[in-house]
Amino acid sequence: MSDGEALLALDLVAAARAVAAGDVDPVELTELYLQRIGRIDPGIGAYVTVTSELALDQAHQARADVAAGRPLGPLHGVPVGVKDLFDTAGIRTTYGSALYRTHVPQRDATVVTRLRAAGAVVLGKHATHELAWGGTTTNPHFGPTRNPRDPARIPGGSSGGSAAAVVSGTALAAVGTDTCGSVRIPAALSGCVGLKPTYGRVSLAGAMPLARSLDHAGPITRTVADAALLLSVLAGSDPLDLRTLDDPAPGPDLPALPPGLRVGRLRGWFEAGLDAAVLAGLDAAAAALSGLGCTLVDLVPPEPGDVVAAAFLRVQAEAGALHAAAFAEHPQSFGPDVAENLARPLPTPRELARSEALLANQVGWLLEALDGCDLLLTATLPVLAPPIGSRSVAAGDRELHVEWALTRLTSIFDVAGLPALTLPTPGGSLPTGAQLVGRRLDEVAVLCVGHALEAALWPGGLGLPVAALEGAGQ
């Protein structure tokens, strides 16, 4: 392994420590990442905008700060990326939409402000599904983003560019958004870690909404420890977002795994129709948790009706109202799937009341389950990454619309506002993921167990970035 390869193999925690200790030059590290973007990203499409000049300016300032012995932030000099749903002052922010192709905001979103305050070097803006309204990141305006594990397949979405960048090694970490699963879906399909925090834990000021009652922001990273570090920077109350919580941000250091934890494995509809590789990975995660001293308890939720349809109806109501005027004025500026969504009539109060009652029933059951268990365990997705352009995917003996399949096991936790972590599980030729869900505001428990589970499942590490892509974009 060359010196450059060794630097690119550092995870976020290790890179931040090495820069702070003066062992790694942030300018050299940033240059390596920019070079890799130039080699790799043309074949992946993780970036919509690369901010090379700004990133190098930030890296030179980080070098000067280290040399002068000035106080350093927890992400000092480490290169990261941001989903192109977050405003960046002076940097094009498109929200994945043709309407905003040349849009340049005047101020940063709060998460970007916090990244900069922590000393991070921002490499650029990661591709998103148009207006974040979809789970594939096959964007009709900026081109498809490809899965680094198999470029013929989707990386998931809507934060697909962020996961693709982390896995392909063109960013050390990224910040995405999650409304029905859009952090966890691409992390699981691409093979990295994704955390949806408690609702309101991370500010969404300066982010284009999809459905504000469901929207979350969270880390996409190479390791669980990296997610804990990034969350410690991003979390906290924000006067610009009244939905944020006053609770202090979790710290970056993860405690040892406490003894006697009870983990409820969600059976019933959560395991109906799982791909064989997904089920094998979930079984491996359950066995590893037992080996770590956790007590596994089988839980069978009530039959849900169509939870996904109910969650989507709320999205339809909120996103449809938000974008109705623009669609009426510029229908040709919207891609086919978003235009199809916007052409539907807004749901009636009666339809919404029925769907909300269905969701409340499931959320109530989940909260009761967490009264008796410390965490819940389920697969993140029932399927493997579908080929780009797929309209449907097989889930057991049923053929589901691709968006329904991708959000089937994730959307209910957005509705509940509970912290949910996905991490890769072993065994398949394509990535699979297990999902750990905790009590409200208990990200520490989710991350602590996830960290121990990660070490048990992947004693040699996840092997990121994906080395086989070297030269793929040339």
Side-chain angles (χ1 to χ4, degrees):
M1 180 183 289
S2 69
D3 291 345
E5 289 171 330
L7 288 179
L8 288 169
L10 294 174
D11 59 32
L12 184 69
V13 170
R17 287 174 179 166
V19 169
D23 296 330
V24 168
D25 177 9
V27 175
E28 180 185 4
L29 189 62
T30 299
E31 287 174 340
L32 283 169
Y33 271 91
L34 290 171
Q35 290 163 12
R36 187 165 175 86
I37 290 170
R39 290 196 310 272
I40 299 298
D41 200 58
I44 298 297
Y47 282 85
V48 173
T49 302
V50 180
T51 53
S52 302
E53 186 176 340
L54 175 62
L56 286 171
D57 286 345
Q58 292 173 334
H60 279 282
Q61 182 60 54
R63 173 198 275 174
D65 290 340
V66 172
R70 287 190 277 267
L72 307 181
L75 299 179
H76 199 82
V78 297
V80 302
V82 180
K83 184 178 182 177
D84 200 29
L85 210 67
F86 293 100
D87 287 347
T88 38
I91 300 169
R92 182 177 72 148
T93 301
T94 73
Y95 316 126
S97 167
L99 289 173
Y100 298 93
R101 186 181 291 274
T102 60
H103 171 58
V104 179
Q106 295 184 343
R107 63 184 299 173
D108 286 331
T110 295
V111 298
V112 178
T113 299
R114 290 179 176 173
L115 287 173
R116 295 192 197 279
V121 172
V122 179
L123 295 167
K125 307 299 290 293
H126 291 149
T128 174
H129 202 104
E130 182 180 3
L131 296 170
W133 204 345
T136 66
T137 319
T138 302
N139 191 298
H141 312 297
F142 300 95
T145 301
R146 300 179 179 276
N147 193 316
R149 309 285 187 168
D150 180 348
R153 297 176 183 269
I154 66 168
S158 62
S159 308
S162 298
V166 168
V167 172
S168 65
T170 58
L172 259 172
V175 184
T177 62
D178 191 311
T179 301
C180 285
S182 291
V183 161
R184 291 159 291 152
I185 291 166
L189 290 184
S190 302
C192 61
V193 172
L195 173 66
K196 181 197 77 63
T198 301
Y199 182 78
R201 179 67 98 173
V202 177
S203 173
L204 286 162
M208 172 65 80
L210 178 58
R212 267 293 187 245
S213 69
L214 297 171
D215 292 346
H216 301 65
I220 297 176
T221 58
R222 296 182 187 178
T223 72
V224 175
D226 287 356
L229 173 58
L230 191 49
L231 179 65
S232 72
V233 168
L234 300 175
S237 63
D238 178 13
L240 299 177
D241 182 354
L242 297 180
R243 294 175 179 84
T244 52
L245 306 169
D246 289 334
D247 292 72
D253 299 323
L254 296 175
L257 188 68
L261 290 177
R262 288 172 59 85
V263 178
R265 179 168 175 173
L266 299 181
R267 300 283 194 172
W269 68 268
F270 276 93
E271 293 196 2
L274 296 187
D275 181 274
V278 172
L279 181 58
L282 183 60
D283 286 340
L289 288 169
S290 293
L292 291 167
C294 298
T295 298
L296 271 291
V297 181
D298 284 345
L299 300 175
V300 180
E303 285 302 313
D306 198 334
V307 166
V308 174
F312 279 10
L313 202 66
R314 191 190 295 186
V315 174
Q316 182 74 35
E318 296 186 36
L322 178 65
H323 300 295
F327 181 64
E329 189 173 352
H330 306 286
Q332 73 286 352
S333 296
F334 292 82
D337 60 339
V338 175
E340 182 180 337
N341 291 335
L342 286 168
R344 297 190 185 103
L346 294 178
T348 66
R350 184 172 184 177
E351 289 171 332
L352 282 171
R354 285 177 178 166
S355 68
E356 291 301 318
L358 184 154
L359 293 172
N361 183 49
Q362 286 293 315
V363 169
W365 183 88
L366 289 170
L367 296 179
E368 287 182 7
L370 283 166
D371 283 340
C373 293
D374 298 285
L375 294 169
L376 305 177
L377 171 69
T378 181
T380 310
L381 304 170
V383 297
L384 306 178
I388 292 173
S390 298
R391 293 280 295 172
S392 63
V393 60
D397 59 358
R398 293 195 297 163
E399 194 77 12
L400 298 178
H401 188 284
V402 67
E403 303 284 358
W404 252 251
L406 294 178
T407 56
R408 187 165 178 267
L409 306 180
T410 55
S411 57
I412 191 61
F413 302 116
D414 292 278
V415 176
L418 299 171
L421 173 79
T422 182
L423 69 159
T425 51
S429 58
L430 289 169
T432 56
Q435 193 172 200
L436 292 169
V437 181
R439 299 177 183 128
R440 185 175 179 270
L441 294 173
D442 203 0
E443 284 85 1
V444 171
V446 172
L447 290 162
C448 175
V449 175
H451 182 55
L453 178 58
E454 178 184 62
L457 292 175
W458 304 96
L462 284 172
L464 295 177
V466 179
L469 282 172
E470 195 68 49
Q474 294 179 339

